[in-house]
């Protein structure tokens, strides 16, 4: 009995994650593509983000890429990147994190 429940839960989680990624892509396309490529790791104005989840560290400071560190970065920015905490809703930032990690 435990196996079907686990499978069902996993499928629901995947679906929710796919929805978050889709919403995140929409926000990314509107707000982030000015400075970042999603389909390349080449620098635009900011670094290309393709494969950032697999790289495991940020290009500029070698900090570990986690949901929390991405969220903090998006919220606060840095010397080159504006902060988005007053531009995006927390749920939008969470979706962008899901999307960026899927690249």
């Amino acid at each position: 009995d435990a196996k079907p429940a686990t499978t069902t839960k996993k499928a629901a989680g995947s679906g929710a994650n796919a929805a978050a990624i889709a919403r995140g892509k929409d926000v990314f396309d509107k707000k982030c593509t000015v400075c970042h490529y999603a389909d390349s790791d080449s620098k635009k104005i900011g670094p290309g983000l393709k494969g950032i989840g697999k790289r495991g560290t940020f290009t500029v400071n070698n900090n570990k890429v986690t949901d929390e560190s991405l969220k903090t970065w998006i919220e606060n920015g840095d010397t080159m990147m504006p902060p988005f905490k007053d531009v995006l809703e927390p749920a939008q930032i969470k979706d962008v994190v899901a999307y960026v990690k899927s690249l």
Side-chain angles (χ1 to χ4, degrees), residues 14-54:
S14 300
N17 197 43
I21 289 168
R23 290 190 307 266
K25 180 184 187 321
D26 190 47
V27 174
F28 187 94
D29 289 348
K30 290 178 182 153
K31 300 289 186 186
C32 311
T33 56
V34 171
C35 297
H36 296 284
Y37 291 117
D39 57 356
S40 169
D41 62 3
S42 298
K43 184 177 169 109
K44 194 172 185 181
I45 292 169
L49 300 178
K50 182 169 182 64
I52 190 168
K54 293 174 195 73

